[in-house]
Amino acid sequence: MPQHSRISTTFRRTIAVGALAVAASGLLVGCGSDDSTATSNPSTSATTTAAASSSAESSASAAPSASASASAPVTSPGEAATAPPEQPEEVPGDFPGPSEVPVSAEGQKFLDALKAKGIEPAADGTMAVSTADFICQAKAEGKSDAEAMVFVTAMVGTEASAAGQELTQEQATANAQTYMDVAHATYCK
């Protein structure tokens, strides 16, 4: 996969995840209070009465499908009629695809150089290689290192967070500078 395509895909995914997070936050803020205009709780007696009369009508009918629906459990008003099964189904091992993406030879050189500088990339290194792709793309587009550094610092912080590490702003900035230096020296061509 060409570097430009990989950067575009990674950048689009990052933007999509960010937009989804903002939308979810807005939804949660809108649903944040327990205040409503309804002043009473729904009664289960009407539901029970309706279910009982429906069961009586169904049992009077001789149709097999009617008896099958009469044996369905009655749910409480707060429970969905199509509640998920109590035991979740097992997810196939190959869902949604391969869990590891192979790293190219150039990517491996970049990862090795980072390790030599004391930075241990998260997981299989794909996040670090994506950051290097971004650095090279920014350079190819003529962006200054200062412009790219803002995003690289954020990417380094995200990667550290994914690895379970906490970085100070100074550490994130220093690591981002190392990423920039190593990418320019070993990865960008």
Side-chain angles (χ1 to χ4, degrees):
M1 177 182 275
Q3 285 180 338
H4 174 66
S5 172
R6 195 171 21 199
I7 292 171
S8 296
T9 302
T10 302
F11 187 68
R12 286 182 187 134
R13 285 181 186 162
T14 304
I15 295 299
V17 168
L20 184 61
V22 169
S25 298
L27 182 63
L28 290 175
V29 167
C31 299
S33 115
D34 193 27
D35 189 19
S36 69
T37 57
T39 57
S40 67
N41 291 330
S43 170
T44 59
S45 62
T47 305
T48 307
T49 306
S53 66
S54 171
S55 294
E57 290 172 9
S58 296
S59 62
S61 167
S65 64
S67 64
S69 66
S71 65
V74 177
T75 60
S76 67
E79 183 181 5
T82 57
E86 288 186 31
Q87 202 62 324
E89 294 180 21
E90 189 173 318
V91 178
D94 63 344
F95 179 80
S99 59
E100 289 187 19
V101 178
V103 177
S104 68
E106 295 85 18
Q108 193 57 52
K109 286 179 193 174
F110 173 74
L111 294 174
D112 292 341
L114 280 179
K115 289 176 186 175
K117 297 279 187 177
I119 296 177
E120 187 65 36
D124 60 356
T126 55
M127 290 177 77
V129 173
S130 294
T131 302
D133 286 336
F134 173 79
I135 293 167
C136 296
Q137 185 65 34
K139 180 180 177 182
E141 291 176 0
K143 295 197 186 322
S144 70
D145 282 351
E147 288 176 300
M149 188 67 150
V150 173
F151 293 102
V152 173
T153 304
M155 295 166 118
V156 166
T158 301
E159 182 177 9
S161 182
Q165 302 170 349
E166 287 189 35
L167 297 177
T168 64
Q169 180 62 38
E170 293 78 22
Q171 290 171 321
T173 302
N175 286 1
Q177 187 60 53
T178 302
Y179 270 68
M180 299 264 305
D181 295 342
V182 170
H184 289 307
T186 64
Y187 194 74
C188 301
K189 297 190 185 218

